[in-house]
Amino acid sequence: MEKNILLGHGSGGKLTHSLITELFYKHFDNPLLAQQSDSAILNFSKGKLAFTTDSYVVDPVFFPGGNIGTLAVCGTVNDLAVSGATPKYISAGFIIEEGLSMDELETIVSAMAEEASKAGVVIATGDTKVVSKGQCDKIFINTSGIGLLDDKHEHISSGSQIKSGDKIIINGPIAQHGMTIMAVRNFGSFKTDIKSDCAGLNHMINDVLNNGVKVKFMRDATRGGLATVLCEIAQNRKLGVETLEEEVPVDENVRGMCELLGFDPFYVANEGKVVMVVDAADADKALEVMKKSSLGKDAAVIGEITDQHPGKAVLKTSIGGKRIMDMLSGEQLPRIC
Amino acid sequence: MEKNILLGHGSGGKLTHSLITELFYKHFDNPLLAQQSDSAILNFSKGKLAFTTDSYVVDPVFFPGGNIGTLAVCGTVNDLAVSGATPKYISAGFIIEEGLSMDELETIVSAMAEEASKAGVVIATGDTKVVSKGQCDKIFINTSGIGLLDDKHEHISSGSQIKSGDKIIINGPIAQHGMTIMAVRNFGSFKTDIKSDCAGLNHMINDVLNNGVKVKFMRDATRGGLATVLCEIAQNRKLGVETLEEEVPVDENVRGMCELLGFDPFYVANEGKVVMVVDAADADKALEVMKKSSLGKDAAVIGEITDQHPGKAVLKTSIGGKRIMDMLSGEQLPRIC
């Protein structure tokens, strides 16, 4: 196979066929892709499905803790999982800049295969386009996902059962992914101890759902950070959200990097963090289950839903003040995911 | 709303929310998107689903006969339809270059809404990323699609029932989309009578399937053109494919443009052409049904499946010669779709 991606790899002809059979099938080996048809054929028993899509344009493509391929699979798995669904199938659409090295592409593709395997999802269908040098930046990946949704979890995606008194939980420290990307961009090869939290959360979430915890709502705190999710809950449900700043886990070196570069960790992207709203009576149980997973060992109750200040998310600061959080305005970190 | 796309429109924060509510919801108005959740929730009765994905990077974004939005919906609708499925839901993932005018984006989005409505599909979920100037070229769109598949049509996507004697049908003249793009690229505003054949074929295909025609296989002849589809049939089924050059419809002005620019119309992309393999006894019926649709009025039997030269697609030329067709090698027309 060629050492670098050529325009012809996106032609739909011979080179596309060789790329598919020699690289994609090597890593994404499953009977659905092997059908080589225009659509993958999936079996479902009667029920509800969750359907989601995300494009990934992260820069740099490789970063401590993962690469764009890791992100593309984990991000879509998480979007399905936070809707209460069990992720089953994902698609992979590649837009590749002419000249990308085949080795880099293979590293990305094998990371996707590894994360898909961990999450228990099948990469069922795909597409490759190649554009000339300078018409995209290395590689962009779109993944769409389909998950199975149990009737009893359907309310989760709307948050319709959220009420005053419910507790807000996060599964670990915030701002790791965003600050990892910023550290690499600003300091290049400068070594820090920060790495992206990029991970598929579906198994941990599944454990919480299957252990009798009444989960009212979940969302993964990606672009826009934790603050944006808290604002969305308040605005969509017309209830108040109260968060205790000192309860929100932030790693010391991430906090340091935020201070150094002038970012508020509440607005920095995460790629392995779920914000859950659970019935107050189940909060301890939820924490207990989460802490059994390596992805939830630092889980914490960070606040609660309140009848006060409906539509507003308020942060109670460590020094006793209160401030209203707003959604991220403008762009803090382009191409963070 | 701003006159141009800013980086902040991809931030996941305030500007993203305003773009979604003020532009996307305006055109893609449906209860699934209005859920504003991470995944759209879909209802299915027991059965099989078809799942497909495609990224669109066509350059120029606007062309006679459509734009990248038309293409993004029709292309994915067609991928589902040629698998024998009824297209139901599609996703829309946008990667937008900072500075794209909001008017252009709205033209694209409204074309998507129009084609989705014509095809009877719902745009169920979406995503927007914005990259800095020069990091992509205006706009790339990924659409993934889900369709319902009747058990009795499951064999279509594999072509497992193809046998010697089956007839090969195409629904109209080839090479229109590709030559339209090339004409615009080469001659800019120079007016030709050529326009893209970009169209959703699902209703016409559905009519053929529901009128007792035994369809053995279908594929839309996009990148790589008609020749590549004929080669795929021969290679995948280990049968011979014989095509009669003079039976393949090509519009005179398209043929002229091909000669002028040095292209073989058999290898030029189409965006509204389906190649069908049908039982010989049903060929007339298939033509009759197709011709009732404006998208199939020039439908023609162009060849047949044979036991001779298994694995090879042979073209019988108008002057009595025979030549073996090969898949497109190299890249003929980058960013054609």
Side-chain angles (χ1 to χ4, degrees):
Chain A
M1 201 157 47
E2 289 71 20
K3 273 197 145 50
N4 294 87
I5 288 288
L6 309 173
L7 276 174
H9 284 113
S11 67
K14 264 190 178 174
L15 279 168
T16 305
H17 279 251
S18 80
L19 181 67
I20 291 173
T21 51
E22 291 165 41
L23 196 148
F24 293 133
Y25 288 175
K26 179 174 151 194
H27 294 280
F28 302 158
D29 181 26
N30 68 65
L32 287 173
L33 272 184
Q35 291 170 358
Q36 295 196 46
S37 65
D38 285 292
S39 307
I41 309 300
L42 319 175
N43 279 298
F44 278 96
S45 45
K46 186 172 168 57
K48 290 196 169 67
L49 298 180
F51 182 33
T52 190
T53 193
D54 250 313
S55 299
Y56 298 86
V57 298
V58 66
D59 171 38
V61 166
F62 299 94
F63 49 82
N67 63 49
I68 191 170
T70 330
L71 213 55
V73 172
C74 295
T76 290
V77 160
N78 290 345
D79 278 341
L80 293 171
V82 298
S83 301
T86 305
K88 291 302 232 181
Y89 300 102
I90 68 172
S91 62
F94 298 93
I95 299 173
I96 308 175
E97 186 183 19
E98 175 190 21
L100 180 76
S101 88
M102 207 58 88
D103 285 349
E104 287 187 314
L105 181 58
E106 181 148 20
T107 304
I108 293 164
V109 166
S110 77
M112 293 178 75
E114 188 186 326
E115 290 302 329
S117 163
K118 273 195 223 167
V121 297
V122 173
I123 296 174
T125 185
D127 175 58
T128 308
K129 295 292 186 305
V130 179
V131 299
S132 300
K133 254 195 190 309
Q135 296 181 344
C136 87
D137 193 10
K138 292 188 193 71
I139 183 168
F140 300 154
I141 303 177
N142 175 283
T143 50
S144 298
I146 299 178
L148 272 176
L149 184 65
D150 198 309
D151 274 342
K152 73 178 180 209
H153 299 316
E154 194 186 345
H155 64 89
I156 289 175
S157 66
S158 68
S160 58
Q161 297 184 1
I162 297 178
K163 65 172 187 1
S164 177
D166 288 344
K167 297 293 182 187
I168 301 167
I169 294 177
I170 194 162
N171 63 309
I174 61 170
Q176 290 178 320
H177 177 73
M179 292 323 295
T180 301
I181 299 296
M182 289 314 290
V184 178
R185 280 194 208 158
N186 279 274
F187 307 114
S189 60
F190 173 76
K191 295 276 179 266
T192 72
D193 291 333
I194 304 178
K195 68 173 193 174
S196 169
D197 59 339
C198 183
L201 299 170
N202 57 319
H203 298 307
M204 184 193 72
I205 288 174
N206 194 50
D207 288 344
V208 174
L209 291 176
N210 289 332
N211 272 280
V213 176
K214 203 178 288 173
V215 176
K216 310 275 189 90
F217 182 75
M218 289 184 272
R219 183 150 285 179
D220 51 336
T222 55
R223 283 182 295 177
L226 173 61
T228 297
V229 173
L230 297 173
C231 290
E232 284 171 344
I233 297 172
Q235 289 174 15
N236 294 348
R237 303 314 314 165
K238 313 266 184 300
L239 284 162
V241 166
E242 197 164 86
T243 309
L244 302 167
E245 187 177 29
E246 63 187 7
E247 300 301 327
V248 176
V250 188
D251 278 354
E252 274 319 303
N253 44 9
V254 169
R255 193 189 297 279
M257 186 64 72
C258 281
E259 279 166 12
L260 186 64
L261 296 173
F263 287 106
D264 178 346
F266 277 73
Y267 289 91
V268 175
N270 310 278
E271 288 294 341
K273 292 296 158 335
V274 56
V275 180
M276 273 191 197
V277 180
V278 306
D279 197 276
D282 295 343
D284 288 344
K285 180 75 185 169
L287 283 186
E288 184 194 322
V289 176
M290 278 186 175
K291 283 172 184 288
K292 286 182 187 157
S293 161
S294 61
L295 301 172
K297 61 184 169 49
D298 299 316
V301 174
I302 59 169
E304 64 179 23
I305 306 294
T306 164
D307 280 332
Q308 308 297 308
H309 49 80
K312 292 199 167 57
V314 168
L315 184 70
K316 287 177 108 169
T317 63
S318 346
I319 53 163
K322 279 190 179 188
R323 72 182 166 94
I324 292 175
M325 283 190 284
D326 202 351
M327 284 192 189
L328 180 62
S329 58
E331 174 63 307
Q332 192 182 45
L333 304 163
R335 298 186 59 191
I336 205 73
C337 64
Chain B
M1 201 157 44
E2 290 70 18
K3 274 198 145 52
N4 295 87
I5 288 287
L6 308 173
L7 277 173
H9 284 115
S11 66
K14 264 190 180 173
L15 279 167
T16 305
H17 279 253
S18 81
L19 181 67
I20 291 173
T21 51
E22 290 165 42
L23 197 149
F24 293 134
Y25 288 174
K26 178 174 151 193
H27 294 279
F28 303 158
D29 181 26
N30 68 64
L32 287 173
L33 273 183
Q35 289 168 359
Q36 296 195 47
S37 65
D38 284 291
S39 307
I41 308 302
L42 319 175
N43 279 296
F44 279 96
S45 45
K46 186 173 168 58
K48 291 196 168 67
L49 297 181
F51 182 33
T52 190
T53 192
D54 250 314
S55 300
Y56 299 86
V57 298
V58 66
D59 172 38
V61 166
F62 299 94
F63 49 81
N67 63 49
I68 191 171
T70 329
L71 213 56
V73 172
C74 294
T76 290
V77 161
N78 291 345
D79 277 342
L80 293 170
V82 300
S83 301
T86 304
K88 291 302 233 180
Y89 300 102
I90 68 173
S91 63
F94 298 92
I95 299 174
I96 307 175
E97 185 183 18
E98 175 190 20
L100 179 75
S101 86
M102 207 57 88
D103 285 348
E104 287 188 312
L105 180 58
E106 180 147 22
T107 304
I108 292 164
V109 166
S110 75
M112 294 179 75
E114 190 186 324
E115 291 302 330
S117 162
K118 275 196 223 169
V121 298
V122 173
I123 296 174
T125 184
D127 175 57
T128 307
K129 296 291 188 305
V130 179
V131 300
S132 300
K133 255 197 189 306
Q135 295 181 344
C136 86
D137 192 9
K138 293 188 191 73
I139 184 167
F140 300 154
I141 303 176
N142 176 284
T143 50
S144 298
I146 300 179
L148 271 177
L149 184 65
D150 198 309
D151 274 342
K152 71 177 180 207
H153 298 315
E154 195 186 347
H155 64 88
I156 290 175
S157 66
S158 68
S160 58
Q161 297 184 2
I162 297 178
K163 66 173 186 359
S164 177
D166 288 343
K167 297 293 182 187
I168 301 168
I169 294 177
I170 194 162
N171 62 309
I174 60 170
Q176 290 178 321
H177 177 73
M179 293 322 296
T180 302
I181 300 297
M182 289 313 289
V184 178
R185 281 195 209 156
N186 280 274
F187 307 114
S189 60
F190 173 76
K191 295 277 180 265
T192 73
D193 291 333
I194 304 178
K195 67 173 196 175
S196 169
D197 59 338
C198 182
L201 299 170
N202 57 319
H203 297 307
M204 186 194 69
I205 288 173
N206 194 48
D207 288 344
V208 174
L209 291 175
N210 288 332
N211 271 280
V213 176
K214 206 179 285 172
V215 176
K216 311 278 189 87
F217 182 76
M218 289 184 273
R219 184 150 286 179
D220 52 335
T222 55
R223 283 183 294 176
L226 173 60
T228 297
V229 172
L230 297 172
C231 291
E232 284 171 345
I233 296 172
Q235 289 174 16
N236 294 347
R237 303 315 314 165
K238 313 269 186 295
L239 283 161
V241 167
E242 198 165 85
T243 308
L244 302 167
E245 188 178 27
E246 62 186 7
E247 300 301 327
V248 177
V250 189
D251 278 352
E252 274 318 302
N253 44 10
V254 170
R255 193 187 298 278
M257 187 64 73
C258 281
E259 280 166 12
L260 186 66
L261 296 173
F263 287 106
D264 178 347
F266 277 73
Y267 289 91
V268 175
N270 310 280
E271 287 295 339
K273 291 296 155 340
V274 57
V275 180
M276 274 193 194
V277 180
V278 305
D279 197 274
D282 295 342
D284 287 344
K285 180 75 185 167
L287 283 186
E288 186 194 320
V289 176
M290 277 185 175
K291 283 171 184 288
K292 285 183 187 156
S293 160
S294 61
L295 300 173
K297 61 184 170 49
D298 299 316
V301 174
I302 58 169
E304 63 178 25
I305 305 296
T306 166
D307 280 334
Q308 308 295 308
H309 49 78
K312 290 198 167 56
V314 168
L315 185 69
K316 288 177 107 169
T317 63
S318 347
I319 53 162
K322 278 191 178 186
R323 69 179 169 95
I324 292 175
M325 282 189 285
D326 201 354
M327 281 190 191
L328 179 64
S329 59
E331 174 63 307
Q332 193 185 41
L333 303 163
R335 297 185 60 190
I336 205 71
C337 63

